[in-house]
């Protein structure tokens, strides 16, 4: 009697149930390729915001960099110049008046006189400011949300976000405008004439001194409504 010859056919369930050393490795490799292919948002080239008029403080590069840190709620909105010292003069009262009727976020950008002198010597642009989740207004206490942040430019952009330590975001009175506080110091403080200012490290944002010196004189200031 001739010997029987057996034919082995792999069942569908066995095809799917492959050893971990084969299909598992292929799946891991595919996942790694997908991760590598995913773009890094920080490396994407952001779109330049649409401005209602030219800025005397912000350049195209600064605007694109800042747009990466703005909350999604303002992405795609045009920037409207609500107040500018070149147009409206140096007065905090005037800034408050120009803010009336606005409730949306505001980007405050300024450069000091030291920065202007540095620009003339070495073409380096020194600018700093803040993003406020609410329009600037007279207030008895601090207001705003955790979306508020401080920023500065020297060789590159530095953004100082809310630490969660306190909620001293923004406070405005007739004599000064303050952003961030802790231990009696303010992250950014501007006087009623919008000519003198101060910047100190504070608990709200754990920021560095925004200007080259803790006390500075304002060369130019703008407040942009982002809504």
């Amino acid at each position: 009697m001739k010997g029987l010859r057996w034919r082995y056919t792999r069942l569908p369930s066995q095809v799917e149930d492959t050893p971990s050393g084969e299909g598992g490795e292929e799946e891991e490799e595919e996942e790694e390729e997908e991760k590598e292919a995913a773009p890094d948002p920080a490396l994407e080239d952001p779109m330049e915001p649409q401005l209602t008029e030219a800025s005397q403080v912000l350049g195209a590069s600064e605007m694109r960099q800042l747009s990466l840190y703005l909350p999604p709620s303002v992405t795609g909105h045009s920037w409207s110049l609500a107040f500018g010292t070149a147009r409206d003069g140096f007065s905090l009262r005037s800034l408050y008046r120009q803010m009336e009727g606005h409730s949306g976020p505001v980007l405050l950008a300024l450069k000091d006189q030291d920065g202007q002198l540095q620009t003339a010597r070495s073409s380096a642009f020194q600018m700093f400011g803040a993003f406020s989740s609410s329009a600037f207004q007279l207030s008895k206490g601090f207001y705003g949300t955790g979306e508020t942040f401080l920023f500065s430019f020297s060789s590159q952009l530095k953004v100082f976000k809310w630490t969660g330590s306190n909620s001293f975001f923004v406070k405005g009175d007739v004599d000064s405008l303050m952003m961030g506080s802790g231990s009696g110091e303010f992250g950014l403080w501007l006087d009623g004439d919008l000519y003198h200012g101060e910047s100190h490290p504070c608990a709200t944002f754990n920021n560095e001194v925004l200007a080259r010196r803790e006390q500075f004189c304002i060369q130019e200031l703008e407040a942009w409504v982002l809504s």
Side-chain angles (χ1 to χ4, degrees), residues 8-125:
Y8 174 81
T9 302
R10 180 176 293 181
L11 298 176
S13 60
Q14 292 176 309
V15 174
E16 295 175 358
D17 193 18
T18 54
S20 59
E22 297 177 6
E25 292 180 357
E26 292 179 359
E27 291 177 359
E28 290 178 0
E29 290 177 359
E30 290 178 358
E31 290 178 359
E32 290 179 358
E33 289 177 359
E34 290 177 358
K35 291 179 180 179
E36 292 176 358
D40 184 353
L43 299 178
E44 292 182 351
D45 187 18
M47 294 180 61
E48 183 178 337
Q50 297 297 314
L51 275 62
T52 55
E53 55 188 283
S55 173
Q56 303 298 314
V57 177
L58 296 164
S61 175
E62 285 77 33
M63 287 186 285
R64 285 195 297 269
Q65 292 180 64
L66 281 170
S67 66
L68 291 172
Y69 295 91
L70 298 177
S73 59
V74 302
T75 302
H77 289 270
S78 60
W79 295 17
S80 177
L81 184 63
F83 176 86
T85 52
R87 185 190 67 189
D88 305 303
F90 288 78
S91 169
L92 183 58
R93 291 176 182 268
S94 294
L95 188 152
Y96 290 141
R97 284 196 296 269
Q98 297 296 95
M99 288 284 109
E100 292 178 0
H102 297 289
S103 59
V106 176
L107 184 73
L108 182 72
L110 59 97
K111 58 183 178 182
D112 60 15
Q113 290 187 355
D114 290 340
Q116 184 72 4
L117 294 174
Q118 181 70 13
T119 300
R121 290 197 301 269
S122 63
S123 299
F125 188 82

Side-chain angles (χ1 to χ4, degrees), residues 118-156:
Q118 181 70 13
T119 300
R121 290 197 301 269
S122 63
S123 299
F125 188 82
Q126 172 72 9
M127 184 268 287
F128 52 97
F131 172 81
S132 172
S133 59
S134 304
F136 298 126
Q137 56 188 295
L138 290 169
S139 61
K140 294 182 179 180
F142 283 89
Y143 60 91
T145 70
E147 291 182 333
T148 305
F149 63 79
L150 303 179
F151 65 87
S152 67
F153 281 95
S154 49
S155 57
Q156 61 183 6

Side-chain angles (χ1 to χ4, degrees), residues 145-150 159-169 180-182 201-208:
T145 70
E147 291 182 333
T148 305
F149 63 79
L150 303 179
V159 173
F160 305 98
K161 297 183 178 181
W162 179 43
T163 63
S165 178
N166 59 47
S167 299
F168 301 149
F169 300 115
S181 184
C202 72
T204 311
F205 303 109
N206 191 32
N207 59 287
E208 302 173 358

